[in-house]
Amino acid sequence: MHSLNLVVHDNIPLFRCSYCGNCYGFLESTSYLKVKMRGCCWYFPKYKLIDIKNILSLGREDFIYEIANLSNSKIEKYHIEVLGYFDDEKYNKLKPQAKDFDSKLFFKLCPFFDKNGCKLHFTLRPHPCNLYLCREVIETCGSEYESYNRERKDYFAYCNYYNDLLAKELQNNNLNLIDNFDDSIKLLKQIHIPNFDFRRLREIKINFENEIAV
């Protein structure tokens, strides 16, 4: 028996699923890389302004500079993307088909992947990482997942709204992360945004009929 619950730390939420990292054979966990048990860690983390603001509010300005200075980081005007590994040679050779799913993800690996899970504490990840659940878990949760789905949609709407607000504040001050990184970070630290009003979600017990790995 496994469980799903919501954890929140300083305005940063996490859908914590006890089955995460133990799956094998799920569509999302399919890997054509040498690393087979990499779960769904195929996302290349994109830190939007709202993610940067949340991390700055934790007092972790050092982490923002750390990812900005990585050789595999791509800094855009209003976000930082940390690029991972993509085996394009193997993808072009195999090109497997997957219904309603981008099969390129089978050949990708997050730069923060570790054999024991993500190298980063969840408060240092972009919000899509923390609120992602594979379709197998969602389907197994059934109707109980609806409250989590609503919370996810509401938090994403909150993030999109304040991300746009932060971008406008930078624009109004003729700042962006490419041309004025230090000044942009300084301004983001000064801007106040209200915390999201999280609901108290009931823990969901998850019972997979045929667990492939535990």
Side-chain angles (χ1 to χ4, degrees), residues 27-32 38 42-43 86 91 95-108 132 135:
L27 177 63
E28 290 93 330
S29 67
T30 302
S31 172
Y32 287 89
R38 64 101 167 85
W42 28 253
Y43 177 64
F86 174 55
Y91 169 74
K95 288 189 176 179
Q97 298 298 312
K99 185 179 180 180
D100 301 325
F101 201 79
D102 182 3
S103 62
K104 285 185 178 180
L105 303 182
F106 303 154
F107 301 84
K108 290 185 173 183
Y132 177 81
R135 64 189 71 189

Side-chain angles (χ1 to χ4, degrees), residues 74-89:
K74 182 180 180 183
I75 300 178
E76 300 291 350
K77 285 187 175 181
Y78 306 114
H79 72 260
I80 304 171
E81 185 175 17
V82 187
L83 303 177
Y85 175 72
F86 174 55
D87 193 335
D88 56 347
E89 181 178 349

Side-chain angles (χ1 to χ4, degrees), residues 102-143:
D102 182 3
S103 62
K104 285 185 178 180
L105 303 182
F106 303 154
F107 301 84
K108 290 185 173 183
L109 186 66
C110 173
F112 298 120
F113 172 80
D114 183 80
K115 64 179 181 180
N116 296 316
C118 183
K119 294 179 182 179
L120 303 178
H121 187 266
F122 79 86
T123 55
L124 300 179
R125 305 172 196 161
H127 62 277
C129 290
N130 289 334
L131 299 182
Y132 177 81
L133 291 173
C134 64
R135 64 189 71 189
E136 286 81 1
V137 167
I138 292 174
E139 291 174 359
T140 303
C141 288
S143 60

Side-chain angles (χ1 to χ4, degrees), residues 34-49:
K34 291 182 179 179
V35 179
K36 298 302 180 184
M37 291 295 289
R38 64 101 167 85
C40 57
C41 292
W42 28 253
Y43 177 64
F44 293 176
K46 181 182 289 186
Y47 289 86
K48 296 185 177 181
L49 296 177

Side-chain angles (χ1 to χ4, degrees), residues 10 12 21 45 47 56 76 93 102 165 181:
D10 286 346
I12 302 175
Y47 289 86
L56 290 173
E76 300 291 350
K93 180 180 180 181
D102 182 3
L165 184 148
F181 191 88

